[in-house]
Amino acid sequence: MGPHPAVAAIRLAVRRVLHDVLTDRAQHAPTTPASAAPPPGGGRPLVLVACSGGADSMALASALAFEAPKLSVRAGAVTVDHGLQAGSDLRAAEVVARLSAMRLDPVESVAVTVGREGGPEAAARDARYAALDAAAERHGAAAVLLGHTRDDQAETVLLGLARGSGTRSLSGMAAVSGTAGRYRRPFLQLDRQTARKACLVQSIPVWDDPHNSDPAYTRSRLRHEGLPALEKCLGKGVVEALARTAQLSRDDADALDAWAAEAEGVVRDDAGLLDCAKLYALPPAVRRRVLRRAVIAAGAPAGSLFARHIEEVDRLITGWRGQGAINLPGRVEARRQGGRLVVRQG
């Protein structure tokens, strides 16, 4: 008899991602002399799993521990202690012990200080990714696996819809992201219940973060109130439909981004300034992407740049009536001068 269907599903998802990591590594591997010393780990790549101790990430860790040895991949783990709750260091130590019992190596706990910029959820996310980036660099990891599920994807799409930030925001989380494709999300096609069931049938202890049910947090309210209300009104299948919307939106956004990257070279003059007449001739979706790229290149933080900012800059092109400069995040200023759009840091 084979493994429980939930266990089989998570293992298959991880196996596919490990194959992708190995393929990418083989395609980009530098040529080394035969006399060179072997790299750490005997040349076997290291894949880390980011593990909070919750059901999603513990299921992911268990699948990685099972599949990695069969593919000659070293498997390790990192848990991030955000320090936001009493006893968080003890919880992190328990997670480390459980991961070590799975024979993952290396396993470490990293304590971070969570700031305030962007709100508590965004600040915790920024601190967590900074810690994971540092751990990946420190250990020379080929990839870091994240336990985001289809349910998380649906929540992300709804949050993007509420912000009104356009197609890219609706595209949710990418299966592969980060520098050189560092972050991989094997579970985006699996629901949260599958991961929890996999832990249950394997008798893997899990920790339920109280923040995930705290109504003070937007995502928590969406998870426990918003999505159930949508399913009650629209019927089952909302989560799957939202996840499908994310993929379709990502395909569209990728195509439009590629178009904008090509158009940017055409709409600049010999001095490198944006020509307002040429910008006006572009389709709005492409033009706004060119403007966003220009504003970010001038120093505006991408995470602080919203649709309303780009709409204001766009009006300098489409609704020009002699208005003054537009002030943007990061002390960036956009101004129309002599038929050119000047974007610079003030």
Side-chain angles (χ1 to χ4, degrees):
M1 181 182 295
H4 186 279
V7 176
I10 64 170
R11 289 178 178 175
L12 176 59
V14 168
R15 189 184 316 142
R16 286 171 172 167
V17 166
L18 291 181
H19 276 296
D20 291 342
V21 170
L22 291 172
T23 300
D24 292 347
R25 186 170 183 266
Q27 291 175 345
H28 298 97
T31 302
T32 55
S35 59
R44 295 180 300 140
L46 171 66
V47 173
L48 298 173
V49 56
C51 187
S52 67
D56 301 340
S57 59
M58 288 301 290
L60 182 57
S62 72
L64 177 63
F66 182 84
E67 293 293 338
K70 298 193 293 184
L71 296 172
S72 294
V73 171
R74 292 185 296 137
V78 179
T79 186
V80 178
D81 176 11
H82 297 85
L84 297 177
Q85 302 166 13
S88 63
D89 56 335
L90 298 177
R91 177 202 57 80
E94 290 176 359
V95 173
V96 167
R98 291 170 186 168
L99 295 170
S100 297
M102 294 179 180
R103 298 188 178 181
L104 297 174
D105 182 40
V107 176
E108 68 173 351
S109 170
V110 180
V112 299
T113 300
V114 177
R116 297 183 178 181
E117 187 173 352
E121 292 168 284
R125 182 177 61 249
D126 290 344
R128 180 167 59 254
Y129 277 101
L132 293 174
D133 279 334
E137 293 290 341
R138 188 164 57 250
H139 294 291
V144 178
L145 306 189
L146 305 175
H148 297 120
T149 65
R150 187 169 62 193
D151 301 78
D152 296 308
Q153 185 74 298
E155 293 162 9
T156 302
V157 172
L158 285 176
L159 289 170
L161 181 63
R163 285 194 296 266
S165 301
T167 307
R168 177 57 69 188
S169 185
L170 293 180
S171 64
M173 296 175 286
V176 180
S177 64
T179 304
R182 167 175 290 160
Y183 293 108
R184 311 283 176 133
R185 297 177 173 87
F187 289 175
L188 285 183
Q189 301 303 318
L190 301 176
D191 62 24
R192 189 174 290 141
Q193 191 58 39
T194 296
R196 185 168 289 276
K197 185 67 174 179
C199 289
L200 178 64
V201 299
Q202 295 178 100
S203 300
I204 297 174
V206 300
W207 175 72
D208 291 314
D209 186 346
H211 282 172
N212 290 337
S213 57
D214 187 342
Y217 295 94
T218 304
R219 187 176 286 269
S220 175
R221 293 196 301 275
L222 182 59
R223 179 174 301 176
H224 297 286
E225 299 173 28
L227 270 173
L230 281 175
E231 290 196 332
K232 182 177 180 181
C233 178
L234 301 175
K236 295 293 183 181
V238 169
V239 168
E240 292 85 347
L242 288 169
R244 194 160 52 248
T245 295
Q247 185 57 58
L248 294 172
S249 297
R250 181 166 298 279
D251 292 342
D252 291 348
D254 287 345
L256 288 168
D257 284 349
W259 188 353
E262 292 179 6
E264 187 171 4
V266 176
V267 299
R268 289 189 182 274
D269 62 16
D270 294 339
L273 296 177
L274 293 165
D275 186 303
C276 293
K278 291 180 179 178
L279 282 169
Y280 185 86
L282 291 175
V286 178
R287 181 177 60 245
R288 286 193 290 267
R289 280 169 166 77
V290 172
L291 296 177
R292 179 179 173 84
R293 287 166 61 93
V295 170
I296 292 173
S304 302
L305 202 58
F306 301 120
R308 58 184 173 82
H309 294 127
I310 303 305
E311 287 168 3
E312 288 296 318
V313 178
D314 194 39
R315 273 193 277 273
L316 295 176
I317 310 299
T318 62
W320 173 242
R321 296 183 302 278
Q323 59 264 46
I326 306 296
N327 294 317
L328 301 161
R331 298 185 295 107
V332 171
E333 174 185 278
R335 180 188 299 272
R336 180 165 174 156
Q337 292 179 340
R340 300 293 186 269
L341 185 70
V342 180
V343 185
R344 63 190 175 196
Q345 210 162 31

